Amino acid sequence: MQLMAIDITKRNLMRVGAMGVIAPTWLVGCSTASPLGVKKGPAPRLIGGSIRQNGEFDVVIAANGSDPVHQLPLPGRGHGVAIHPHQPLAVMFGRRPGTYAMIFNVQTGRMESLLLASKQRHYYGHGVFSSDGRWLYATEGERSSSRGIIGVYDTQQGYKKVEEFTGFGLGPHEIIVMENGTLVVGVGGVHTDGRTPLNLTTMKPSLAYLSASGELLEQVTLADHRKSIRHLAHDGDEVVLTGQQYRGEADSYVPLVALHKRGQPMQELGGDPEDWARFNHYVASIAATKQHIVATSPRGNCYGIWDKETRNLLQINVLPDASGVVVKDDQFFISSGAGKVVKISSDLTVKMMPSPIQWDNHWQMIT
């Protein structure tokens, strides 16, 4: 089992220690509240990391992305969130190279458990539960080599690590689970020292499909090996969406989003070089409906909308620190580190709402 205590600042240890009894400091009081403390109705409940003005980090649950319900302090900057499919539990993973994975109750706003990485390992910032909720899969790496690992944690044994999958490459980032239980891993292919890349000339990114027991089922690549495959989503059916970080020449602007179906080559989304220049070599979160695809770029302060069938670029819109994107009822919700939430309807009507939260990195929908 590759878990042990790590060094965390005294201030953050005190904050983490208080999480088991923390009261939601941003609770929206109302007499007609759901178990999450929000008014009854169709308002989506969103969860993700945030940054405070004093530089501390939290995970926040909010209605519509604008009305905070629970706020839990984190021991360090958060990145991706995994939602349990059947229980009111979620996991926030530390940002790469992450040192923690925090399990907490989304109804009570209380921490349940804190997994801490060993000195030889780190988390890559993402994880996912199996469809039945029994297993938590986390992307991990060996610090000395960036050897990719999928840590398998048993939720019925207090999130004890019971197995590790490897053999698919260096630097795995996001992992998702398909409807049939297949695991899909975005393999970045980059060996890093902390966040410093060491092998850009020889990097080998890929999209890897694994069985629930860790067998490598299929592995595909893009033509340009300098596109580090990092963020993933799926359309609820057979299509996997991938977002890339370009590690090539600074003045080259290439497609950064691709689609894939098992047994077929990867297909890149459309856009001219000047369009892709807007994304500043990096795509963060991705989501899709039956008609459209949305991808965000915090580095480019924008998000793009594509037609899913034709793969044609329809819009690029400005949004400072554009971060997470999720889908509910054929509508997209996009978060911003600048205190904004964007709602995009099925006819691509855009509505921007203010938020008291500086959303950070990714978010998820609580169903």
Side-chain angles (χ1 to χ4, degrees):
M1 182 174 174
Q2 297 292 325
L3 297 174
M4 61 179 291
I6 57 169
D7 292 329
I8 305 177
T9 65
K10 182 178 180 181
R11 179 178 66 180
N12 281 345
L13 275 173
M14 293 174 65
R15 298 178 80 229
V16 172
M19 283 192 288
V21 294
I22 190 169
T25 59
W26 286 346
L27 184 62
V28 180
C30 56
S31 58
T32 57
S34 73
L36 282 171
V38 297
K39 293 180 181 180
K40 293 180 180 179
R45 293 163 293 182
L46 298 155
I47 180 169
S50 73
I51 301 177
R52 292 192 187 188
Q53 291 184 350
N54 64 3
E56 294 183 334
F57 306 103
D58 300 295
V59 58
V60 178
I61 301 168
N64 277 319
S66 299
D67 300 320
V69 177
H70 290 303
Q71 170 191 357
L72 291 80
L74 294 170
R77 188 175 179 183
H79 193 69
V81 182
I83 306 294
H84 195 285
H86 310 304
Q87 299 177 10
L89 298 173
V91 184
M92 171 62 81
F93 292 88
R95 182 173 181 258
R96 174 181 67 90
T99 56
Y100 72 89
M102 189 181 81
I103 300 100
F104 57 98
N105 189 300
V106 300
Q107 290 184 348
T108 65
R110 293 173 179 265
M111 183 182 75
E112 299 278 337
S113 182
L114 187 68
L115 307 179
L116 300 174
S118 72
K119 291 182 179 179
Q120 294 77 36
R121 299 289 176 81
H122 62 78
Y123 294 107
Y124 275 105
H126 288 276
V128 69
F129 284 95
S130 59
S131 299
D132 62 4
R134 173 67 187 271
W135 314 105
L136 174 66
Y137 302 100
T139 54
E140 304 175 15
E142 189 175 64
R143 287 186 179 273
S144 61
S145 66
S146 299
R147 177 174 63 94
I149 297 163
I150 304 301
V152 184
Y153 298 83
D154 189 344
T155 65
Q156 295 184 7
Q157 297 188 59
Y159 290 85
K160 176 184 177 182
K161 180 183 276 189
V162 294
E163 196 169 359
E164 293 184 339
F165 304 154
T166 190
F168 48 78
L170 305 183
H173 195 69
E174 189 157 15
I175 181 171
I176 62 174
V177 61
M178 303 297 284
E179 293 296 317
N180 63 2
T182 299
L183 301 171
V184 190
V185 185
V187 182
V190 181
H191 174 31
T192 57
D193 180 5
R195 293 184 65 85
T196 303
L198 303 177
N199 69 329
L200 295 186
T201 59
T202 59
M203 58 184 282
K204 296 179 179 180
S206 67
L207 185 66
Y209 293 80
L210 307 178
S211 71
S213 59
E215 178 188 1
L216 183 61
L217 303 174
E218 184 174 350
Q219 195 161 23
V220 294
T221 61
L222 292 162
D224 189 341
H225 80 95
R226 297 167 299 180
K227 294 180 182 181
S228 180
I229 299 176
R230 301 178 59 74
H231 294 116
L232 305 179
H234 67 76
D235 65 352
D237 192 10
E238 298 179 348
V239 176
V240 175
L241 301 89
T242 72
Q244 280 71 255
Q245 178 179 11
Y246 182 59
R247 296 288 200 164
E249 292 82 4
D251 58 353
S252 293
Y253 301 105
V254 297
L256 296 173
V257 182
L259 308 181
H260 185 254
K261 283 187 178 182
R262 292 283 304 274
Q264 300 180 15
M266 300 185 75
Q267 298 179 311
E268 296 186 310
L269 297 191
D272 295 327
E274 55 266 31
D275 297 319
W276 288 109
R278 297 275 299 277
F279 291 83
N280 197 14
H281 297 147
Y282 182 78
V283 161
S285 297
I286 319 168
T289 63
K290 292 181 179 179
Q291 292 82 29
H292 300 111
I293 296 167
V294 167
T296 68
S297 176
R299 297 184 183 182
N301 296 303
C302 69
Y303 64 90
I305 306 175
W306 287 263
D307 181 281
K308 185 181 172 189
E309 182 177 357
T310 66
R311 306 197 306 277
N312 290 336
L313 177 65
L314 303 177
Q315 299 179 21
I316 300 179
N317 296 320
V318 173
L319 181 63
D321 196 21
S323 299
V325 58
V326 293
V327 169
K328 178 180 174 61
D329 299 330
D330 286 330
Q331 299 180 100
F332 293 97
F333 293 82
I334 306 174
S335 68
S336 164
K340 304 287 184 182
V341 172
V342 172
K343 178 180 177 181
I344 305 173
S345 63
S346 58
D347 64 358
L348 302 187
T349 299
V350 175
K351 179 181 179 181
M352 185 175 293
M353 301 169 285
S355 172
I357 309 161
Q358 289 182 264
W359 291 106
D360 187 31
N361 289 304
H362 308 278
W363 64 358
Q364 291 282 0
M365 183 82 66
I366 303 173
T367 58

